[in-house]
Amino acid sequence: MPMNPASPPLIHARGLTKRFGAFTAVDAVDFDVAPGEAFGFLGPNGAGKTSTMKMIGCTSPASGGTLTVLGMDPETQGPEIRGRLGVVPQQDTLDEELTVRENLLIYGRYFGLSRAECGRRADELLEFAQLSERGSSRVEPLSGGMKRRLTIARSLINEPDVMLLDEPTTGLDPQARHLLWDRLYRLKQRGVTLVLTTHYMDEAEQLCDRLVVMDKAKIVAEGSPRSLIEQYSTREVAEMRFAPGVQDTLDGQFNGLADRVEHLPDRVLLYAEDGEAVAVAAHDRGLRPETVLVRRSTLEDVFLRLTGRSLVD
Amino acid sequence: MSAIAPPQARATTGRVMPRAWHLIERNLFVYRRTWTIIVSGFFEPLFYLVAMGYGLGRLIGDVTGPGGQPIPYAMFVAPALLATGAMNGAVAEATFNFFFKLNYNRTFQAILATPLSVRDVAVGEIAWALIRGGLYAIGFIVVIAALGLATSPLALLAIPAALLLGFAAGAVGMAATSFMRSHQDFDLINVITLPMFLFSATFYPIETYPEAIRGIVAITPLYQGVALIRGLTVGVLGPEMLFQVAYLAVMGMIGLWITSRRLDRLLRK
Ligand SMILES: Nc1ncnc2c1ncn2[C@@H]1O[C@H](COP(=O)(O)OP(=O)(O)OP(=O)(O)O)[C@@H](O)[C@H]1O
Ligand SMILES: [Mg+2]
């Protein structure tokens, strides 16, 4: 969904900064999230994604800059803002002294919902999270993925207008991930705004209308997944894997073959408009990789270019 | 700001109770399963009453009560045990259980992502501690009334007085707990509460002490609480009670204020 210039942003940040003592975790970042949009933060470990999410979620005060969420000021209207957010923190914060169902019930109560309403929604959400059979179980013995699903279900108890999802699918099996993507997509269609961080580029490509790449506390690029790929990568990539030890002897041998060459520990990436042509040219030069894979550029390539690291460290 | 996002239909009930109430609800969920822990705290003062009040009391006979008139020893210690039971109940919640929730359970972090604030958390947790202390007070007042140790209808006021003592001790205990780093620090709590129990004019009148020591004893919330509650169960009112009430209330407010500030520091980084 393109940014609609007519509607004011739902989240508006200018020069937003977070400091921990002398250390700056988020350094004067600017971004806007439009109503109904799915907006992503990508970045390597320690880039400042979680710190930014916590400021938006009004659980951590900004050290500088301006921030408005739903048109309100987190400093003075935290409770009103939080009442309309659904938060999935990076680390689960489930109440381990309560059962699965009680976790949902009491969370609804924190939002001021009536007991009857909490009960109704809890049962619905247990269904959603495929935890109906575990309702009366304690939280502690649940598997990591089940806890994650419960955390996500809990974040929906107040029917939020904005979801803040910090690495929502980390720890989920592929089936549960796809299920969650589907649910998030449906929420988005109902007008819920999604703000998420992720280390999975397929997730970013699937879910995000627009995303920013953060590195070392700053935003280094912004755009739709497609426009970022166009701007920061070539159309295709030829990936070459060499026998162990061979790759280190190849310095300089790729010169002039491609628009850009990236040496990873286990393979060499050659960026070009036509990957097949690059593979042929390399063969003509006498390069003999064990495997060659020609593929379209992805966000991973953008990420690598901008931060010098792969998405999943 | 409804122009930005259309407000969805919300099944929100009108807020009758303050938000802090939901912390009590949460703790009720937990104690629904572990209520036996609470019950045990009721018997401890009862055992002391039997051992001290009746056992030792037979040797001691009468002592000087609040108004200067002689009263049986059991009648002298019973209100002190009521006060101590209420205080210990509140302090146990405000220290051990609060420490666990603050450091090992991420409950408070989860709560702070909802409309509740750190102050709601502090107030809710103190209120819960008071409820536990108050339950002991109610149970105990019924027992001593049945035994004929509370002679005045004023004794009913001992319940709010015990709550006030629980508030003072609980809030200060909670504030102290917010500075604790490990379980070892809890030894300190015992080092404070045990002597307080033994020496706060619980088992003998404060006049037993030399003048200099009396001043130190009078600082403790338990001494103030015992004096207040003893006056009420025996039925002797005095102007010093206004001071005792104010002293405990102020102590509790200070503890609550420090606790809120500490929670803000610790949980909203
Ligand atoms: N409470 C804190 N006190 C001190 N430093 C902190 C605190 N929280 C985060 N930081 C630091 O701020 C930086 C950014 O952390 P943050 O959690 O925002 O990164 P992130 O982008 O979410 O990383 P990841 O992908 O690993 O989750 C890190 O260097 C981290 O050590
Ligand atoms: Mg993070």
Side-chain angles (χ1 to χ4, degrees), chain B residues 79-212:
Chain B
L81 293 170
L82 184 149
T84 308
M87 181 185 83
N88 284 345
V91 167
E93 275 304 323
T95 58
F96 295 97
N97 292 349
F98 182 70
F99 182 84
F100 173 77
K101 283 181 245 185
L102 189 60
N103 294 285
Y104 295 111
N105 195 328
R106 301 174 68 84
T107 313
F108 293 156
Q109 268 97 336
I111 292 175
L112 293 176
T114 75
L116 274 72
S117 66
V118 281
R119 196 175 159 80
D120 294 326
V121 171
V123 170
E125 285 291 293
I126 281 279
W128 171 252
L130 287 193
I131 288 176
R132 180 161 166 187
L135 285 176
Y136 295 152
I138 292 169
F140 202 70
I141 201 96
V142 169
V143 170
I144 64 174
L147 293 172
L149 298 176
T151 45
S152 160
L154 284 173
L156 278 179
L157 289 177
I159 294 167
L163 287 176
L164 190 61
L165 168 63
F167 175 56
V172 168
M174 200 174 270
T177 302
S178 71
F179 288 95
M180 291 187 185
R181 292 280 117 244
S182 83
H183 270 120
Q184 276 92 44
D185 295 337
F186 282 113
D187 294 341
L188 197 66
I189 297 215
N190 292 330
V191 166
I192 293 168
T193 53
L194 184 64
M196 212 149 73
F197 169 50
L198 293 173
F199 304 128
S200 297
T202 21
F203 295 108
Y204 41 80
I206 193 166
E207 287 76 24
T208 317
Y209 293 118
E211 200 69 54

Side-chain angles (χ1 to χ4, degrees), chain A residues 20 23 25 43-52 90 167 199, chain B residues 269:
Chain A
F20 296 106
F23 178 78
N45 291 140
K49 303 180 297 294
T50 297
S51 305
T52 307
Q90 183 171 354
E167 300 190 24
H199 285 287
Chain B
K269 281 187 232 168

Side-chain angles (χ1 to χ4, degrees), chain A residues 8-10 18 20 35 58-61 70-71 79 82-84 87 91-99 102 105-107 109-115 117 121 138 154 158-161, chain B residues 1-15 19 21-23 25-27 29-30 32-33 100-101 104-107 109-117 264 267-269:
Chain A
L10 199 80
K18 181 73 201 184
F20 296 106
C58 311
T59 54
S60 160
L70 292 154
R82 291 195 298 268
R84 292 171 60 188
V87 180
Q91 273 185 299
D92 289 325
T93 57
L94 295 168
D95 197 326
E96 306 237 325
E97 290 184 277
L98 301 181
T99 66
E102 285 169 352
L105 288 179
I106 194 65
Y107 219 65
R109 297 290 291 153
Y110 296 147
F111 284 94
L113 301 174
S114 71
R115 279 200 190 77
E117 187 61 23
R121 290 191 191 178
R138 292 281 288 264
R154 192 184 67 174
N158 60 327
E159 296 183 344
D161 297 331
Chain B
M1 279 298 163
S2 53
I4 285 179
Q8 298 184 356
R10 272 164 210 293
T12 315
T13 48
R15 264 197 195 283
R19 290 195 174 113
W21 163 254
H22 300 308
L23 275 114
E25 268 186 270
R26 182 222 165 249
N27 292 327
F29 270 131
V30 177
R32 208 183 271 174
R33 281 183 292 275
F100 173 77
K101 283 181 245 185
Y104 295 111
N105 195 328
R106 301 174 68 84
T107 313
Q109 268 97 336
I111 292 175
L112 293 176
T114 75
L116 274 72
S117 66
D264 197 70
L267 300 174
R268 287 171 47 85
K269 281 187 232 168

Side-chain angles (χ1 to χ4, degrees), chain B residues 225-246:
Chain B
V226 167
L228 180 64
I229 292 169
R230 188 174 280 143
L232 292 169
T233 55
V234 177
V236 180
L237 295 181
E240 71 281 359
M241 284 180 165
L242 292 177
F243 169 79
Q244 287 154 356
V245 168

Side-chain angles (χ1 to χ4, degrees), chain B residues 15-88:
Chain B
R15 264 197 195 283
V16 209
M17 302 298 279
R19 290 195 174 113
W21 163 254
H22 300 308
L23 275 114
I24 296 169
E25 268 186 270
R26 182 222 165 249
N27 292 327
L28 283 173
F29 270 131
V30 177
Y31 278 98
R32 208 183 271 174
R33 281 183 292 275
T34 53
W35 55 273
T36 42
I37 295 174
I38 292 203
V39 171
S40 63
F42 168 73
F43 287 101
E44 199 179 295
L46 213 56
F47 294 151
Y48 273 104
L49 181 64
V50 173
M52 301 287 175
Y54 291 98
L56 210 57
R58 193 149 298 176
L59 302 177
I60 294 170
D62 284 2
V63 290
T64 315
Q69 88 283 31
I71 53 172
Y73 185 64
M75 201 182 255
F76 181 85
V77 283
L81 293 170
L82 184 149
T84 308
M87 181 185 83
N88 284 345

